[in-house]
Structures are given as structure tokens and as C-alpha cells.
Amino acid sequence: MFENSTVYLGIAPIGWTNDDMPDLGKEISFEQCISEMAEAGFNGTEVGNKYPRDPAVLKEALAAKGLRICNAWFSSFLTTKPFQDTEAEFNKQADYLAAVGSNCIGVSEQGHSIQGQMDTAIFDNKYVMNEDEWKLLTTGLDKLGAIARDKGLKLVYHHHMGTVVQTRAETDRLMAETNPDVVGLLFDSGHFAYCGEDPLAALKVHIGRVRHVHLKDIRPAVVKRVRDEKLSFLKGVRLGAFTVPGDGAIDFTPIFQTLSDAGYNGWMLIEAEQDPAVAIPLEYAKKGRQYIKEKTGL
């Protein structure tokens, strides 16, 4: 598997320190985080809130551990703010990522998002865009994608629970109405599964647009509790809705096979936010890394 592809394995720092809920992992240092990533057998990471903002300092610290930056989250507000506002922030983030050696920038539309609202039921309050908002989003993404391309970066769109592009239908439409030359897809197995979609089916349809992969597993019993008790996305994270591949309900074997058959080249990155006081980060990083090795040989 992946014999004819160039695939790199990374892990996100969100398993050590949560950007949206900084109390989760507040005691874990940047040095501990990257040291344990390397110990678990990964060679890449996304940017976390404790990472140095000086590109030279960050690159040196990561290089000492055999790590490099492969992506960072970017919040766009194309549906709720003037394009120029998002464009200015996007340029700053893209320049930073280019300086630290990344070739990818992951964008998620946060206009009307409820993912960060602690007391808003994630399954009951998702915003649905109107036609004008769809146009703002898709045309805006095409413009941002062209900016990214000119800086040597790939823009990949991150479908996400609680945002305006959460479902398979919304992802399908976004892909259909954006320019494939400048807008790719960040495929996230966990977010599709969480909202009741089939991640494998979505991957097969959009494999030609997938340019970055998040390997995230789910615990269905926790997701059911989130739905039944009308809990927020963040409360679901605290309860353990997500976990590393091999520890939840998703069968990743056909997902890996689909990526391999398509000749996928790029990063596959574990991104499984949990409470690090409950799910010990190094233990879970090693568990996820072992599972990937068993299933792919990587």
C-alpha cells in the first residue's frame, strides 16, 4: 500500500493542548509536545497555539526533533465580513506558513459557526447558507486559493462540525462551485462520521480534490450522547467524542486503500482532540501510529 506514492505522517498538537479550550493541556509545554510527537514516530505537525511565531525559531526547534510543519488552520469570514478583512489575515498566515516551510493552508469558514460556542447544541443549531452566502464563500475561496498558489501553497478546505460546510451535500456543492486548480479538500474522516455521513463514500467522490488528510476516529456512544443531550461540540470533545485511528468505530482500511489506489501524495495527519488528562497524549499518539503501521506498512 502506498508503494507508488509519497505519503508523510504527522500528528496535530491539539491532542496535547487544545486551541479552543486552552485549559485542556495548559500544563503541557511546546517542548514536551514536539518531543513526544517525535518519540511516537511522526515527522510532521500542524501549528498549535504554543508554537513560536518566529519562523526561524520554530524551524530550528522542529528540525532538532526531525519534524516539520505541514499545515495550519485558518479561519475565514467570507460570509460575514468584507473580503478584504479575510484577505489581509490570510496573507499574514500564508506568509508565515511559507516561511516555516509548509506548502499547505487549511481554511474553514467561521462565519455563522457554532463550533466554538460552549453552550450551543451542535446538532440543533447549525446555520444553513442562502444563495448569496454560497456565492460569497465560493468566489472568496477561489480568490484566496489564487493568493495561496502564488505563495507556493495549496489551499485545502476543511469541512467541520458546526460550520456552514459540515455535511456531504455541502461539501459536494463547495467542491462543485470552486476552482479545482486553486481549492482542494482537506478530507477529515471524523467530521464526516460525526455528522452521520459515510467518510469512505465522500472520499471516493472527492479523491481527485483531496490534498490533505486528517485521520480522526469517533466514539459513537459519545456522539449519541451529544445528540441526545443537546450538547455543544466543545462539550463533546471534553467527553471524548474523538480519538485516534484504531481506537474508535471507523474502519480505516478501505480509506487507506482508496488513497493508495488514487496515488495520493501528501500528508496524512492524526488530529484527535481529547482531554489530555484522560487520554495521555503520548500513549494515544503511539497507539494511532501503530495502527497506521499495521494497516499500511508506513
Side-chain angles (χ1 to χ4, degrees), residues 183-216:
V183 177
L185 181 65
L186 189 164
F187 168 78
D188 190 304
S189 54
H191 281 284
F192 274 133
Y194 198 118
C195 68
E197 305 285 7
D198 180 348
L200 178 61
L203 176 63
K204 287 181 175 179
V205 167
H206 295 298
I207 188 65
R209 296 286 289 276
V210 173
R211 293 163 196 167
H212 197 69
V213 173
H214 277 178
L215 303 174
K216 186 197 297 281

Coordinates of all heavy atoms in Angstrom, one line a residue, residues 183-216:
V183 N -8.5 25.4 -5.2 CA -9.2 25.0 -4.0 C -9.2 23.4 -3.9 O -9.9 22.8 -4.7 CB -10.6 25.5 -3.9 CG1 -11.3 25.1 -2.6 CG2 -10.6 27.1 -3.9
G184 N -8.5 22.9 -2.9 CA -8.6 21.5 -2.7 C -9.4 21.1 -1.5 O -10.0 22.0 -0.8
L185 N -9.5 19.9 -1.1 CA -10.2 19.4 0.0 C -9.3 18.8 1.1 O -8.4 18.0 0.8 CB -11.2 18.3 -0.4 CG -12.1 17.8 0.7 CD1 -13.1 18.9 1.3 CD2 -12.9 16.6 0.2
L186 N -9.5 19.3 2.3 CA -8.9 18.6 3.5 C -10.0 17.6 3.9 O -11.0 17.9 4.5 CB -8.6 19.6 4.6 CG -7.8 19.1 5.8 CD1 -7.3 20.3 6.6 CD2 -8.6 18.2 6.7
F187 N -9.7 16.3 3.6 CA -10.6 15.2 4.0 C -10.4 14.9 5.5 O -9.3 14.5 5.9 CB -10.3 14.0 3.1 CG -11.0 12.8 3.6 CD1 -12.4 12.6 3.4 CD2 -10.3 11.8 4.3 CE1 -13.1 11.4 3.8 CE2 -11.0 10.6 4.7 CZ -12.3 10.5 4.5
D188 N -11.5 15.0 6.2 CA -11.4 14.6 7.6 C -12.4 13.5 7.9 O -13.7 13.7 7.9 CB -11.8 15.9 8.5 CG -11.5 15.7 10.0 OD1 -12.1 14.7 10.5 OD2 -10.8 16.5 10.5
S189 N -11.9 12.3 8.2 CA -12.8 11.1 8.4 C -13.7 11.3 9.6 O -14.9 11.0 9.5 CB -11.9 9.9 8.6 OG -11.0 10.1 9.7
G190 N -13.2 11.9 10.6 CA -14.0 12.1 11.9 C -15.2 13.0 11.8 O -16.3 12.8 12.3
H191 N -15.0 14.1 11.1 CA -16.0 15.1 11.0 C -17.2 14.6 10.1 O -18.3 14.9 10.3 CB -15.5 16.4 10.5 CG -14.8 17.2 11.6 ND1 -15.6 17.9 12.5 CD2 -13.5 17.4 11.9 CE1 -14.7 18.5 13.4 NE2 -13.5 18.2 13.0
F192 N -16.8 13.8 9.0 CA -17.9 13.2 8.2 C -18.7 12.2 9.1 O -19.9 12.2 9.1 CB -17.4 12.6 7.0 CG -17.2 13.5 5.8 CD1 -16.0 13.5 5.1 CD2 -18.2 14.4 5.4 CE1 -15.9 14.3 4.0 CE2 -18.1 15.2 4.3 CZ -16.9 15.2 3.6
A193 N -18.0 11.4 9.8 CA -18.6 10.3 10.6 C -19.5 10.9 11.7 O -20.6 10.4 12.0 CB -17.6 9.4 11.2
Y194 N -19.0 12.0 12.3 CA -19.7 12.6 13.4 C -21.1 13.1 13.0 O -22.0 12.9 13.8 CB -18.8 13.8 13.9 CG -19.1 14.3 15.3 CD1 -18.2 14.3 16.3 CD2 -20.4 14.9 15.6 CE1 -18.4 14.8 17.6 CE2 -20.6 15.5 16.8 CZ -19.7 15.4 17.8 OH -19.9 15.9 19.1
C195 N -21.2 13.7 11.8 CA -22.5 14.2 11.4 C -23.3 13.2 10.7 O -24.4 13.5 10.1 CB -22.3 15.5 10.6 SG -21.6 15.3 9.0
G196 N -22.9 11.9 10.7 CA -23.7 10.9 10.1 C -23.5 10.5 8.7 O -24.2 9.7 8.1
E197 N -22.4 11.1 8.1 CA -22.0 10.8 6.7 C -21.1 9.6 6.7 O -20.4 9.2 7.7 CB -21.4 12.0 6.1 CG -22.2 13.3 6.2 CD -23.4 13.3 5.2 OE1 -23.7 12.3 4.6 OE2 -24.0 14.4 5.1
D198 N -21.0 9.0 5.5 CA -20.1 7.9 5.3 C -18.7 8.5 4.8 O -18.7 9.0 3.6 CB -20.6 7.0 4.2 CG -19.7 5.8 3.9 OD1 -18.5 5.8 4.3 OD2 -20.2 4.8 3.2
P199 N -17.7 8.5 5.6 CA -16.4 9.1 5.2 C -15.8 8.4 3.9 O -15.3 9.1 3.1 CB -15.5 9.0 6.4 CG -16.2 8.0 7.3 CD -17.6 8.0 7.0
L200 N -16.0 7.1 3.8 CA -15.4 6.4 2.7 C -16.1 6.9 1.4 O -15.4 7.1 0.4 CB -15.5 4.9 2.9 CG -15.0 4.1 1.7 CD1 -13.5 4.3 1.5 CD2 -15.2 2.6 2.0
A201 N -17.4 6.9 1.4 CA -18.1 7.4 0.2 C -17.7 8.8 -0.2 O -17.6 9.1 -1.4 CB -19.6 7.3 0.5
A202 N -17.6 9.7 0.8 CA -17.2 11.0 0.5 C -15.8 11.1 -0.1 O -15.5 11.8 -1.1 CB -17.3 11.9 1.7
L203 N -14.9 10.3 0.4 CA -13.5 10.2 -0.1 C -13.5 9.8 -1.5 O -12.8 10.3 -2.4 CB -12.7 9.3 0.8 CG -11.3 9.1 0.4 CD1 -10.5 10.4 0.4 CD2 -10.6 8.0 1.2
K204 N -14.3 8.7 -1.8 CA -14.3 8.2 -3.2 C -14.8 9.2 -4.2 O -14.2 9.3 -5.3 CB -15.1 6.9 -3.2 CG -14.5 5.7 -2.6 CD -15.3 4.5 -2.7 CE -14.6 3.3 -2.1 NZ -15.5 2.0 -2.2
V205 N -15.8 10.0 -3.8 CA -16.3 11.0 -4.7 C -15.3 12.1 -5.0 O -15.1 12.6 -6.1 CB -17.6 11.6 -4.2 CG1 -18.0 12.8 -4.9 CG2 -18.7 10.5 -4.3
H206 N -14.6 12.5 -3.9 CA -13.8 13.7 -4.0 C -12.3 13.4 -4.0 O -11.5 14.3 -3.8 CB -14.1 14.7 -2.8 CG -15.5 15.2 -2.9 ND1 -15.9 16.0 -3.9 CD2 -16.6 15.0 -2.1 CE1 -17.2 16.3 -3.7 NE2 -17.6 15.7 -2.6
I207 N -11.9 12.2 -4.2 CA -10.5 11.8 -4.1 C -9.6 12.7 -5.0 O -8.4 13.0 -4.7 CB -10.3 10.3 -4.5 CG1 -8.9 9.9 -4.2 CG2 -10.7 10.0 -5.9 CD1 -8.4 9.9 -2.8
G208 N -10.1 13.1 -6.1 CA -9.3 14.0 -7.0 C -9.0 15.4 -6.5 O -8.1 16.1 -7.0
R209 N -9.8 15.8 -5.5 CA -9.6 17.1 -4.9 C -8.9 17.0 -3.5 O -8.5 18.1 -2.9 CB -10.9 17.8 -4.7 CG -11.7 18.1 -6.0 CD -11.1 19.2 -6.8 NE -11.3 20.5 -6.2 CZ -12.4 21.3 -6.3 NH1 -13.4 20.8 -7.0 NH2 -12.5 22.5 -5.8
V210 N -8.6 15.8 -3.0 CA -8.1 15.7 -1.7 C -6.6 16.0 -1.7 O -5.8 15.3 -2.4 CB -8.3 14.3 -1.1 CG1 -7.6 14.1 0.2 CG2 -9.8 14.0 -0.9
R211 N -6.2 17.0 -0.9 CA -4.8 17.4 -0.9 C -4.2 17.4 0.5 O -3.0 17.8 0.7 CB -4.6 18.7 -1.6 CG -4.9 18.6 -3.1 CD -5.2 19.9 -3.8 NE -5.8 19.7 -5.1 CZ -6.4 20.7 -5.8 NH1 -6.5 21.9 -5.3 NH2 -7.0 20.4 -7.0
H212 N -5.0 17.0 1.5 CA -4.5 16.9 2.8 C -5.5 16.0 3.6 O -6.7 16.1 3.3 CB -4.5 18.3 3.5 CG -3.6 18.3 4.8 ND1 -2.3 18.2 4.8 CD2 -4.0 18.5 6.1 CE1 -1.8 18.3 6.0 NE2 -2.8 18.5 6.8
V213 N -5.0 15.2 4.5 CA -5.9 14.2 5.2 C -5.8 14.3 6.7 O -4.6 14.3 7.2 CB -5.6 12.8 4.7 CG1 -6.4 11.8 5.5 CG2 -5.9 12.6 3.2
H214 N -6.9 14.4 7.3 CA -7.0 14.3 8.8 C -7.5 12.9 9.2 O -8.6 12.6 8.8 CB -7.8 15.4 9.4 CG -7.1 16.7 9.6 ND1 -7.8 17.8 10.1 CD2 -5.8 17.1 9.4 CE1 -6.9 18.8 10.1 NE2 -5.7 18.4 9.7
L215 N -6.8 12.2 9.9 CA -7.2 10.9 10.4 C -7.8 11.0 11.8 O -7.0 11.2 12.7 CB -6.0 9.9 10.4 CG -5.3 9.7 9.0 CD1 -4.1 8.8 9.2 CD2 -6.3 9.1 8.0
K216 N -9.1 11.0 11.9 CA -9.8 11.2 13.2 C -10.8 10.1 13.3 O -11.6 9.9 12.4 CB -10.4 12.6 13.2 CG -11.0 13.0 14.5 CD -12.0 14.2 14.3 CE -11.3 15.5 13.8 NZ -10.6 16.2 14.8

